[in-house]
Amino acid sequence: MMQETEERRHGLSQNPADTPMILVVEDDENLRRLVAAYLEREGYGVCEAPDGTSAMRMAEELSPDLIILDLMIPGVEGWEVARRVAQRHGIPILMLTALNSEDDVLAGFEVGADDYLTKPFSPKVLVARVRAILRRGGTSQSDEVQVVVHGSIEMNLSSLTVFVDGRSVDLTAKEFELLRVLMAHPGRAFTRAELLELVWGYTFLGDSRVVDVHIGHIRRKLGDNAADPVYIRTVRGSGYRLQPAS
């Protein structure tokens, strides 16, 4: 019991090295420990942060596999934590918050969230969302390097890296998966609903504009021009397709 208390004091539960580690950022201690208990019951390692400042430090020091992030937290606010983590570390983020308007959800994805769940929530749904994110983030391919090339875009499926004309492109996990789907089927038009299902991995109940937000991020990072795209073309009234390589 004393050992468990000491681990909790440091915000870290001890698990085997190959166990996914999840950082839970929540200022409500009871809720934070409830979420941690459900995750640990499913076999995940858990570290806990009560505020944005400690969350940023733990993300840097521990490199967790996933961050569950409340937006209304003391210290560095949740929006800024998400923005910095997405830019610097590329760690997947599941936002867990009471902010539930469509604009809040879209803003969450805009700053780099991979998923968005509003309070009150079902712990079973939370665990299911966690599984889906980690499953998408894992490498199910063989250990051999797998590279997909489309024109000047080079995607490495093993190292999860993307290069354009030899320049490294820093994509979030969701942006990488979205681009991967498009690159797997050049020339094929995907509806927003299809992209939501393929990339988010479940029936998304929010606004399909979240696809537009992520496509916008990818275009900007690839150096693509939405008005005259080299890579990703908008299919009017439907969705998107990757331009066939010339």
Side-chain angles (χ1 to χ4, degrees):
M1 181 64 70
M2 286 187 63
Q3 181 180 0
E4 180 180 356
T5 301
E6 188 67 18
E7 290 168 353
R8 283 296 184 190
R9 188 175 300 143
H10 288 83
L12 179 63
S13 60
Q14 301 299 313
N15 289 76
D18 59 349
T19 299
M21 176 61 67
I22 301 171
L23 171 58
V24 179
V25 186
E26 168 64 60
D27 61 326
D28 183 326
E29 182 177 1
N30 291 332
L31 179 57
R32 187 175 71 245
R33 293 194 172 184
L34 175 66
V35 170
Y38 271 95
L39 294 171
E40 289 172 340
R41 187 180 303 172
E42 296 297 320
Y44 298 113
V46 179
C47 47
E48 303 175 22
D51 56 65
T53 304
S54 57
M56 290 296 304
R57 185 182 67 254
M58 295 177 77
E60 180 76 32
E61 294 176 354
L62 302 176
S63 297
D65 298 282
L66 171 67
I67 298 176
I68 297 177
L69 176 65
D70 183 17
L71 291 173
M72 297 183 290
I73 51 177
V76 181
E77 65 173 6
W79 301 105
E80 184 62 21
V81 171
R83 185 179 294 108
R84 293 185 193 178
V85 166
Q87 290 176 348
R88 298 178 185 178
H89 309 292
I91 301 169
I93 297 171
L94 167 57
M95 289 184 172
L96 181 62
T97 175
L99 300 177
N100 58 9
S101 73
E102 285 189 354
D103 287 342
D104 289 326
V105 175
L106 289 172
F109 286 113
E110 179 72 33
V111 298
D114 290 80
D115 204 346
Y116 196 106
L117 186 61
T118 58
K119 302 173 183 177
F121 64 96
S122 161
K124 290 183 178 179
V125 170
L126 173 64
V127 171
R129 298 283 184 93
V130 166
R131 284 199 193 109
I133 294 173
L134 293 176
R135 184 167 60 246
R136 292 192 300 270
T139 53
S140 58
Q141 295 84 9
S142 68
D143 291 336
E144 298 179 3
V145 173
Q146 299 188 39
V147 177
V148 178
V149 177
H150 182 85
S152 58
I153 305 174
E154 180 179 300
M155 172 176 282
N156 188 310
L157 302 177
S158 295
S159 62
L160 304 180
T161 54
V162 174
F163 292 86
V164 176
D165 290 324
R167 171 179 62 87
S168 177
V169 178
D170 186 18
L171 300 181
T172 67
K174 192 71 77 216
E175 292 163 1
F176 184 93
E177 182 63 15
L178 185 54
L179 181 59
R180 187 196 65 77
V181 169
L182 294 174
M183 287 185 63
H185 305 278
R188 173 183 167 182
F190 288 90
T191 66
R192 290 173 177 82
E194 287 175 324
L195 292 172
L196 283 170
E197 181 64 28
L198 288 168
V199 175
W200 273 255
Y202 56 88
T203 302
F204 187 70
L205 301 178
D207 197 315
S208 64
R209 287 179 297 171
V210 67
V211 175
D212 302 335
V213 169
H214 282 75
I215 290 291
H217 289 170
I218 295 171
R219 279 173 166 162
R220 185 176 67 253
K221 293 177 180 181
L222 294 181
D224 209 5
N225 182 354
D228 185 22
V230 174
Y231 305 116
I232 302 175
R233 180 171 294 277
T234 301
V235 180
R236 188 175 300 276
S238 177
Y240 300 94
R241 67 181 173 88
L242 188 72
Q243 291 278 75
S246 57

